[in-house]
Amino acid sequence: MAVYTDVTDEALFAFLSAYDLGAVLSFKGIAEGVENSNFLLHCEAGRFILTLYEKRVRPNDLPFFIGLMEHLAAKKLSCPLPVKRRDGEALGTLAGRPAAIVTFLDGVSVRKPEARQCAETGRALAQLHLAGGDFGLFRRNALSVAHWPELFAASRARADEVSPGLAQEIAAELDSLERLWPCDLPQGVIHADLFPDNVFFIGPKLSGLIDFYFACNDALAYDLAICLNAWCFEPDGSFNATKGRALLQGYQSLRPLEDVERGALPVLARGAAMRFLLTRLYDWLNVPPGALVKPKNPLEYLSKLRFHQTIDNAGEYGLIE
Amino acid sequence: MAVYTDVTDEALFAFLSAYDLGAVLSFKGIAEGVENSNFLLHCEAGRFILTLYEKRVRPNDLPFFIGLMEHLAAKKLSCPLPVKRRDGEALGTLAGRPAAIVTFLDGVSVRKPEARQCAETGRALAQLHLAGGDFGLFRRNALSVAHWPELFAASRARADEVSPGLAQEIAAELDSLERLWPCDLPQGVIHADLFPDNVFFIGPKLSGLIDFYFACNDALAYDLAICLNAWCFEPDGSFNATKGRALLQGYQSLRPLEDVERGALPVLARGAAMRFLLTRLYDWLNVPPGALVKPKNPLEYLSKLRFHQTIDNAGEYGLIE
């Protein structure tokens, strides 16, 4: 849950005076998003999400995120649309932080995705990749293979507190990943964090994608590998190949993978597991005092990483050649 | 902020199957209420608040709270109306806790009330007292004068950690309050927690009252004394007599105080300050590990208590005879 910053009614009304949204009907902090403070804002003009960007988001990246949502919404992808002030700007300042208002998306995220929801998510991811094809801004992935060694360095000394032998296992895997990581894959804009809590459904139907604050440019198939990890494992740690097949088929129904992407999928999935293992490990070892967010267990991703190390080819994920 | 309990989409859909609210359009934990977990629930039938009653609320009290909201809403007081299931019940079980759905009230609470908002609040409090006059259930005030000594006993040994001499000052005041406390005042249903965060406004107009989970039977004027403390002091600790007058005039425009109530107002205000001093002191000294709620400073209420000790008669609060 996340409401890191307190917004008074006075500050809110001053902020909203730059917009044409009518009177405020309600305003509530919501338990959504981990990096930022989010509020549900209901005005005469409709329902919106007001986001205050907290310190983990770099202000320089905001035009990329805001511009991407505008670009994707214009291409009919169902995602939040930034709302402009009367002066044409979508970014303002509230309670000393950069802040933006986006349209509210109906829908509920699922805790235990079913195969058909994996399929819909695969389709939506492909839609996003296609729609992002002609987006004009560029943002390097700050959490990709080149950054993992430094991320690991920040946790290495204490990694074995979490699980004996963990430091050595990660070090060895980072060596392998550096050697094996493909650099000839189709690139584009990726979501980079399309976990089930960022995908909304109304009944069986996918209603939209949210939280573009890790979006960046990277290999498209790496985004799919992140989803394989996030959507297709069971709570007991086992890989559900039915869900894997559904996700991959959903994706390929709109954007068939190239041979080089299929071949790279196992190593991309290892890398995707490593990226979340490392950030979770860091967060686990560095819980700030008074934190409102319970850190996620890094070992879930160690188990996924070990699974992918046993995979020879993408057919084992349910990919039909 | 408060979302103590995690509700999965599966558990939610099972719970809602007993209601006629149509498909779920959105469901978000909100940072509102301190005792319970609250969610904003948007269904085809409209917008609602879903509350899970956490362990500080006694299940036996729930029929009083639910019944009171139904009673007040039927009398046209703007407050949440409990929504009944198809079987006629307003209380169910979700995630192992008692749970209820109430209608959503539009409005925004104010951080720094203005005098006109104090006046509206006084009027609404009188409306509540009048509307509660023929409510059939009874709930003893579990946080009134008779309970303060035991509440104090739980913090006494460590009170001086918060402020040197605090234990002795409270003990002396409790003796005075026991001696001075009036028992001949008009009784009825009181809100008992009508702080600014429980009163909503749309623009200048009061749109509703929320959070009836401290409501009980007690002296009506004691409820007004709670509001004097909660609405009429400035952040620097000074009493704002203009706001006091506005609150009291607003109240008396619908329910003029009896002489015995006017006379008792200073001691009631001391008691109301004591009640919040004691619960805040306890919470301050007993922050549970992993608490999501920052405890409120008890000393704010010590300062209010000391102010009321200097008051000779209710005229000093702005009460016009």
Side-chain angles (χ1 to χ4, degrees):
Chain A
M1 57 192 305
V3 181
Y4 300 100
T5 302
D6 192 38
V7 175
T8 66
D9 51 313
E10 279 176 311
L12 174 67
F13 296 147
F15 178 77
L16 290 178
S17 66
Y19 292 83
D20 277 324
L21 299 177
V24 178
L25 300 179
S26 77
F27 180 64
K28 298 191 189 300
I30 58 174
E32 204 152 280
V34 169
E35 301 286 319
N36 300 314
S37 294
N38 288 299
F39 299 85
L40 203 161
L41 170 67
H42 186 197
C43 294
E44 286 172 328
R47 286 180 300 145
F48 305 93
I49 297 288
L50 166 63
T51 299
L52 269 61
Y53 300 100
E54 303 289 347
K55 57 176 179 291
R56 280 177 78 157
V57 174
R58 294 190 320 173
N60 284 350
D61 286 334
L62 289 171
F64 179 91
F65 302 140
I66 298 285
L68 178 61
M69 287 188 274
E70 285 173 351
H71 180 88
L72 295 175
K75 297 246 176 177
K76 306 294 177 211
L77 191 91
S78 180
C79 72
L81 174 65
V83 175
K84 292 192 169 153
R85 305 190 307 189
R86 275 190 299 275
D87 66 5
E89 289 294 321
L91 264 169
T93 302
L94 177 54
R97 284 147 180 86
I101 294 173
V102 300
T103 53
F104 182 90
L105 276 195
D106 275 331
V108 179
S109 58
V110 296
R111 192 66 55 99
K112 295 184 195 161
E114 296 169 13
R116 58 181 182 169
Q117 289 157 335
C118 297
E120 292 241 3
T121 300
R123 259 182 80 88
L125 187 72
Q127 260 186 304
L128 188 163
H129 290 172
L130 295 173
D134 58 349
F135 179 53
L137 300 179
F138 180 89
R139 179 176 178 260
R140 195 178 306 280
N141 187 353
L143 291 170
S144 191
V145 62
H147 307 86
W148 297 336
E150 66 192 89
L151 196 51
F152 177 46
S155 305
R156 181 170 195 152
R158 295 180 54 205
D160 285 9
E161 291 175 26
V162 177
S163 175
L166 183 58
Q168 201 180 338
E169 186 171 352
I170 292 177
E173 175 69 6
L174 285 178
D175 283 348
S176 301
L177 288 172
E178 197 182 352
R179 206 173 56 247
L180 299 171
W181 200 250
C183 33
D184 54 349
L185 301 179
Q187 305 279 312
V189 172
I190 69 169
H191 184 285
D193 194 39
L194 199 61
F195 278 61
D197 43 352
N198 290 331
V199 179
F200 287 169
F201 292 88
I202 297 178
K205 215 176 128 49
L206 189 151
S207 61
L209 310 181
I210 64 164
D211 202 348
F212 289 79
Y213 301 109
F214 286 96
C216 56
N217 293 72
D218 204 336
L220 300 178
Y222 175 63
D223 218 7
L224 190 55
I226 290 171
C227 288
L228 269 179
N229 283 329
W231 288 80
C232 305
F233 283 83
E234 297 302 310
D236 68 1
S238 64
F239 181 76
N240 184 322
T242 304
K243 295 181 182 176
R245 183 175 305 117
L247 179 79
L248 294 166
Q249 281 184 343
Y251 186 86
Q252 296 207 96
S253 70
L254 291 181
R255 181 180 176 270
L257 291 174
E258 298 181 10
D259 286 344
V260 63
E261 293 177 296
R262 288 164 185 253
L265 211 47
V267 70
L268 293 174
R270 282 163 66 177
M274 176 61 78
R275 172 254 181 270
F276 288 96
L277 170 59
L278 289 174
T279 51
R280 288 187 177 190
L281 179 63
Y282 181 85
D283 291 342
W284 188 265
L285 293 172
N286 296 278
V287 179
L292 298 172
V293 181
K294 190 167 176 282
K296 291 174 180 153
N297 191 346
L299 297 181
E300 177 192 334
Y301 269 80
L302 178 64
S303 152
K304 291 176 182 179
L305 171 60
R306 287 176 179 166
F307 170 78
H308 295 303
Q309 288 169 337
T310 70
I311 297 292
D312 283 331
N313 70 76
E316 297 180 51
Y317 295 127
L319 194 65
I320 295 162
E321 306 290 328
Chain B
M1 56 195 306
V3 181
Y4 301 101
T5 302
D6 192 38
V7 174
T8 66
D9 51 312
E10 279 177 310
L12 174 69
F13 295 148
F15 178 76
L16 291 177
S17 65
Y19 291 83
D20 276 324
L21 300 177
V24 177
L25 301 178
S26 77
F27 180 65
K28 298 191 189 300
I30 58 174
E32 203 151 280
V34 170
E35 301 285 319
N36 301 313
S37 294
N38 288 299
F39 299 85
L40 204 162
L41 170 66
H42 185 197
C43 294
E44 285 172 328
R47 286 180 302 145
F48 304 93
I49 297 288
L50 167 63
T51 299
L52 269 61
Y53 300 100
E54 302 291 346
K55 56 177 180 290
R56 280 176 78 157
V57 174
R58 294 190 321 172
N60 284 350
D61 286 334
L62 289 172
F64 179 90
F65 301 139
I66 298 285
L68 179 60
M69 286 188 275
E70 285 174 350
H71 181 87
L72 296 175
K75 298 245 175 176
K76 307 294 177 209
L77 191 91
S78 181
C79 71
L81 174 64
V83 175
K84 293 193 169 154
R85 306 190 306 192
R86 275 190 300 276
D87 65 6
E89 288 294 321
L91 266 169
T93 301
L94 177 54
R97 283 145 181 86
I101 295 174
V102 300
T103 53
F104 182 91
L105 276 195
D106 275 330
V108 178
S109 57
V110 296
R111 192 65 55 99
K112 296 184 195 161
E114 296 170 12
R116 60 182 182 169
Q117 288 157 335
C118 296
E120 291 240 3
T121 299
R123 256 182 82 87
L125 186 72
Q127 258 187 308
L128 189 164
H129 289 171
L130 295 172
D134 57 349
F135 179 54
L137 300 180
F138 181 88
R139 177 176 178 261
R140 196 177 305 281
N141 186 352
L143 290 170
S144 190
V145 61
H147 308 86
W148 297 336
E150 67 191 88
L151 196 51
F152 178 44
S155 305
R156 182 171 195 151
R158 296 181 54 206
D160 285 10
E161 291 175 25
V162 177
S163 175
L166 184 58
Q168 202 181 339
E169 186 170 353
I170 291 177
E173 175 69 6
L174 285 178
D175 283 347
S176 303
L177 288 172
E178 198 182 352
R179 206 172 59 247
L180 299 170
W181 200 251
C183 33
D184 54 348
L185 301 178
Q187 304 281 311
V189 172
I190 69 169
H191 184 284
D193 195 39
L194 199 62
F195 278 60
D197 44 351
N198 290 331
V199 179
F200 287 169
F201 292 87
I202 298 178
K205 217 176 127 49
L206 189 150
S207 62
L209 310 181
I210 64 164
D211 202 348
F212 288 80
Y213 301 110
F214 286 97
C216 56
N217 292 74
D218 204 335
L220 299 179
Y222 176 63
D223 217 9
L224 190 55
I226 291 171
C227 288
L228 269 178
N229 283 330
W231 288 80
C232 305
F233 283 83
E234 297 301 312
D236 68 1
S238 63
F239 180 76
N240 184 322
T242 304
K243 294 181 182 177
R245 184 176 304 117
L247 179 79
L248 294 165
Q249 282 184 344
Y251 186 86
Q252 295 207 95
S253 70
L254 292 180
R255 181 181 175 270
L257 291 173
E258 298 181 10
D259 285 345
V260 64
E261 293 177 296
R262 288 164 184 255
L265 211 47
V267 70
L268 293 175
R270 283 164 64 177
M274 177 60 78
R275 173 254 181 269
F276 288 96
L277 170 58
L278 289 174
T279 50
R280 288 188 178 190
L281 179 63
Y282 181 85
D283 291 343
W284 189 265
L285 294 172
N286 297 277
V287 178
L292 298 174
V293 181
K294 188 166 177 282
K296 291 175 180 152
N297 191 346
L299 297 181
E300 177 191 335
Y301 268 81
L302 178 64
S303 152
K304 291 176 182 180
L305 171 60
R306 287 175 178 166
F307 171 78
H308 295 303
Q309 288 169 336
T310 70
I311 297 292
D312 283 330
N313 70 76
E316 296 179 51
Y317 294 128
L319 194 65
I320 295 161
E321 305 290 328

